[in-house]
């Protein structure tokens, strides 16, 4: 009944905060204005659907990546079919070039996301559920807030990016958690960090 | 014919995803019902284990009664350590609110700890286990919301009394089902009813309270009515009809009850402190 907030030190907070905020423009100048600012994303797992697809718009020399994803969990895995809408921003402070080639490796990307799940079993507020007194449950099952950290590998070919071929392709892996898993971890010494992490694998293509 | 390289990779990918799923890293939604096969239908697994277990007595059942494990994982580990040192325990009953948020991982986290008990454990669904997709997750991980099993001449009847989660629709608790179970007295000497929300709580459907209490009063084998939800030990006869109604501690209270039932509706109760409640820790 009564929620418990026992604090504990955790290196998770340190991991998820963009500690490497100082960034140098490590992408060569020829890449700065091309390819274009739009990208498409496809992600496997990571708590936002079995497969989530979407896209976004690069900002700040492609260091900041706001995007919207739509994910789906079929009935066989979700009990009921669920559609999940995720609004997410990734911050990639630097993407050093690997040697003299077309590959860039970002050792750290961090970000935050909010996920909205369809289905009337997920109420937004106690009030909207219509059966609970005020303050009965303090969280909303419909919206999860999350944070993630990951790494990525980007390929930027030399050819003219105009046309259907993407000018940049990125493969990434993220470890994420959400607010409720994090609260569980922070209030229990024995709930280890790996127990609250979720792996997501994805690809992005930019034009 | 030489197989394409991707096909050679397939077993590796399959193994990798199975490994990730087993350690919980692979999750499609915190509300998904999907869990590894070994973590499905735990109620049936535990009832089967109980049936195999050599009985300490043919007419006495001795079990641990605790509730509300919701987000008390440290305490769950301490509980397991304590219960594993108790002699002659047949099983552990967790009186609902296994999870705090109705998420799949929470039920798995609790199971990962309680599976280290030397004896089987049995659960009843709580209101927190029904939030969001929780009810479907509970059904996948644990099993039916209403069920019974018989052990050493005692019929245990577990039922969903979380009326508020159904908007007080008049069908929860299922009084008709309970009547059938209580009427089935063949081969048993005692009955114990286990639920989460006790009948005089505001979360129990008040339109069903009197018929529920009447039913229990009219059941000659009924020995105890056990509930959780209130996170503390209470015992009494709220309907002044000779039926003992007990509620138990939550995991956070570092206490559990050991109940023994035997003979004709005899019961005995002990309180055990564990973990942080012990003076030396």
């Amino acid at each position: 009944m009564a929620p418990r907030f026992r604090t504990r030190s955790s290196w998770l907070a340190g991991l998820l905060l963009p500690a490497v905020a100082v960034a140098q423009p490590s992408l060569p100048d020829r890449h700065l204005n091309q390819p274009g600012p739009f990208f498409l994303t496809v992600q496997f797992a990571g708590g936002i659907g079995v497969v989530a697809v979407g896209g976004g718009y690069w900002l700040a020399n492609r260091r900041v990546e706001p995007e919207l994803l739509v994910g789906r969990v079929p009935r066989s895995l979700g009990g009921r079919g669920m559609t999940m809408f995720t609004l997410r921003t990734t911050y990639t402070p630097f993407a050093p070039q690997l040697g003299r080639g077309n590959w860039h490796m970002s050792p750290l990307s961090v970000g935050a996301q909010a996920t909205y799940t369809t289905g009337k079993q997920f109420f937004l507020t106690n009030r909207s559920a219509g059966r609970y007194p005020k303050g009965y449950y303090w969280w909303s099952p419909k919206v999860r807030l999350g944070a993630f950290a990951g790494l990525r590998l980007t390929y930027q070919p030399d050819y003219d990016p105009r046309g259907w071929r993407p000018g940049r392709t990125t493969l990434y892996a993220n470890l994420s958690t959400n607010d409720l898993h994090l609260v569980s971890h922070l209030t229990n010494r024995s709930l280890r960090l790996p127990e609250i992490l979720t792996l997501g694998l994805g690809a992005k293509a930019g034009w | 014919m030489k197989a394409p390289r991707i096909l050679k990779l397939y077993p590796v990918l399959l193994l990798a995803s199975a490994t990730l799923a087993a350690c919980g890293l692979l999750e499609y939604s915190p509300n998904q019902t999907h869990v590894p096969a070994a973590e499905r239908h735990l109620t049936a697994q535990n009832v089967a284990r109980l049936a195999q277990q050599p009985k300490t007595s043919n007419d006495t059942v001795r079990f641990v009664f605790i509730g509300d494990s919701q987000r008390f994982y440290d305490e769950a580990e301490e509980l397991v350590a304590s219960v594993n040192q108790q002699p002659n325990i047949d099983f552990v009953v967790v009186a609902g609110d296994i999870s705090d948020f109705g998420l799949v991982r929470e039920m798995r986290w609790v199971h990962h700890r309680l599976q280290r008990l030397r004896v089987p454990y049995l659960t009843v669904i709580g209101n927190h286990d029904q939030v969001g997709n929780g009810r479907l997750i509970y059904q996948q991980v644990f099993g039916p919301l209403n069920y019974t099993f018989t052990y050493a001449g005692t019929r245990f009847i577990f039922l969903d009394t979380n009326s508020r989660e159904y908007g007080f629709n008049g069908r929860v608790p299922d009084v008709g089902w309970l009547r059938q179970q209580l009427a089935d007295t063949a081969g048993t000497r005692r009955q114990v009813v286990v639920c989460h929300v006790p009948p005089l709580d505001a979360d129990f459907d008040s339109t069903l309270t009197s018929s529920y209490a009447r039913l229990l009063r009219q059941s000659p084998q009924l020995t105890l009515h056990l509930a959780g939800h209130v996170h503390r030990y209470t015992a009494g006869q709220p309907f002044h009809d000779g039926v003992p109604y007990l509620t138990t501690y939550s995991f956070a209270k570092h206490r559990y009850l050991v109940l023994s039932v035997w003979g004709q509706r005899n019961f005995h109760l002990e309180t055990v402190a564990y973990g942080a409640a012990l003076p030396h820790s």
Side-chain angles (χ1 to χ4, degrees):
Chain A
M1 280 163 66
R4 179 182 54 165
F5 294 97
R6 186 201 298 158
T7 54
R8 58 175 273 187
S9 60
S10 170
W11 58 275
L12 185 77
L15 175 76
L16 296 178
L17 285 172
V20 211
V22 192
Q24 67 281 17
S26 55
L27 294 175
D29 283 348
R30 68 185 168 96
H31 296 313
L32 281 181
N33 298 315
Q34 55 171 328
F38 291 100
F39 61 88
L40 293 177
T41 306
V42 58
Q43 180 173 317
F44 169 69
I48 61 168
V50 177
V51 174
V53 294
Y57 192 88
W58 271 308
L59 300 171
N61 287 337
R62 290 185 293 276
R63 290 197 191 91
V64 177
E65 250 174 33
E67 62 189 316
L68 177 68
L69 296 147
V70 183
R72 182 76 188 161
V73 178
R75 190 164 167 260
S76 58
L77 297 172
R80 298 180 180 97
M82 296 182 277
T83 302
M84 304 168 79
F85 296 92
T86 300
L87 198 59
R88 161 166 101 176
T89 297
T90 309
Y91 174 61
T92 306
F94 50 91
Q97 198 169 359
L98 293 177
R100 293 178 167 218
N102 300 100
W103 294 89
H104 299 259
M105 170 80 190
S106 307
L108 182 71
S109 286
V110 293
Q113 65 190 26
T115 301
Y116 177 99
T117 307
T118 58
K120 70 177 187 329
Q121 74 271 33
F122 303 109
F123 54 83
L124 197 59
T125 63
N126 285 328
R127 198 186 163 89
S128 68
R131 54 183 182 265
Y132 306 117
K134 205 175 166 187
Y136 194 79
Y137 295 124
W138 60 264
W139 71 98
S140 166
K142 209 165 195 46
V143 179
R144 290 278 57 76
L145 302 176
F148 58 89
L151 44 79
R152 52 171 63 197
L153 192 61
T154 297
Y155 178 70
Q156 183 142 356
D158 291 323
Y159 59 73
D160 185 348
R162 279 173 300 189
W164 65 272
R165 288 189 300 181
R168 275 167 80 84
T169 309
T170 296
L171 297 174
Y172 67 88
N174 281 337
L175 286 173
S176 65
T177 190
N178 68 49
D179 47 355
L180 300 183
H181 289 164
L182 186 62
V183 163
S184 304
H185 171 67
L186 294 177
T187 51
N188 287 276
R189 263 165 229 287
S190 71
L191 197 68
R192 293 167 301 113
L193 189 67
E195 292 183 274
I196 66 158
L197 294 180
T198 302
L199 180 70
L201 300 170
K204 292 181 187 198
W207 283 270
Chain B
M1 202 178 95
K2 209 175 157 188
R5 264 171 85 179
I6 189 78
L7 280 184
K8 286 186 186 166
L9 269 177
Y10 190 69
V12 179
L13 290 174
L14 208 65
L15 188 70
S17 65
T19 311
L20 289 170
C23 65
L25 272 183
L26 204 61
E27 190 173 76
Y28 308 120
S29 158
N31 298 296
Q32 73 185 36
T33 51
H34 179 75
V35 290
E39 295 178 34
R40 290 175 206 159
H41 315 303
L42 296 177
T43 300
Q45 287 189 39
N46 278 311
V47 169
R49 235 180 102 194
L50 197 57
Q52 303 284 316
Q53 185 170 284
K55 288 181 184 58
T56 45
S57 156
N58 272 335
D59 194 55
T60 303
V61 190
R62 192 159 178 271
F63 61 99
V64 168
F65 174 43
I66 189 165
D68 304 83
S69 56
Q70 53 189 118
R71 201 151 53 79
F72 302 126
Y73 304 103
D74 294 348
E75 291 82 353
E77 296 197 348
E78 293 168 338
L79 173 78
V80 168
S82 172
V83 171
N84 281 347
Q85 288 176 358
Q86 291 280 341
N88 306 324
I89 296 286
D90 294 312
F91 54 87
V92 172
V93 168
V94 185
D97 281 1
I98 314 306
S99 67
D100 201 14
F101 310 117
L103 303 179
V104 66
R105 260 193 214 201
E106 298 183 274
M107 297 194 201
R108 297 186 61 198
W109 290 334
V110 170
H111 173 64
H112 293 164
R113 285 156 178 82
L114 297 189
Q115 70 178 351
R116 295 184 206 133
L117 284 164
R118 284 194 292 108
V119 293
Y121 74 96
L122 293 143
T123 64
V124 70
I125 192 166
N127 58 300
H128 281 253
D129 303 318
Q130 310 213 11
V131 174
N133 238 15
R135 192 179 300 144
L136 292 176
I137 297 167
Y138 181 91
Q139 286 172 315
Q140 171 83 307
V141 175
F142 292 102
L145 309 185
N146 297 332
Y147 68 97
T148 69
F149 68 91
T150 301
Y151 187 83
T154 312
R155 189 166 167 83
F156 286 84
I157 302 167
F158 286 65
L159 96 155
D160 180 0
T161 56
N162 306 292
S163 319
R164 185 182 296 280
E165 297 305 315
Y166 299 84
F168 299 111
N169 65 6
R171 297 194 296 274
V172 177
D174 187 340
V175 179
W177 179 85
L178 179 61
R179 180 177 292 111
Q180 283 177 3
Q181 308 315 311
L182 290 167
D184 180 6
T185 55
T188 61
R189 294 190 70 189
R190 296 164 296 273
Q191 293 167 333
V192 174
V193 170
V194 183
C195 65
H196 179 64
V197 175
L200 286 174
D201 194 276
D203 296 331
F204 191 101
D205 194 334
S206 61
T207 64
L208 297 173
T209 309
S210 61
S211 58
Y212 184 85
R214 192 182 323 118
L215 186 56
L216 296 183
R217 177 163 63 242
Q218 292 165 351
S219 301
Q221 288 197 355
L222 186 76
T223 309
L224 285 167
H225 180 279
L226 307 176
H229 195 51
V230 296
H231 289 211
R232 62 181 189 278
Y233 165 67
T234 67
Q237 294 184 14
F239 300 99
H240 312 289
D241 55 4
V243 178
Y245 287 76
L246 271 62
T247 64
T248 190
Y249 303 103
S250 73
F251 278 45
K253 299 290 166 65
H254 290 104
R255 277 176 178 75
Y256 57 85
L257 300 176
V258 178
L259 283 168
S260 306
V261 294
W262 74 94
Q264 201 173 12
R265 300 200 306 175
N266 295 310
F267 70 89
H268 177 259
L269 185 154
E270 297 158 64
T271 303
V272 177
Y274 69 92
L278 295 176
H280 63 79
S281 57

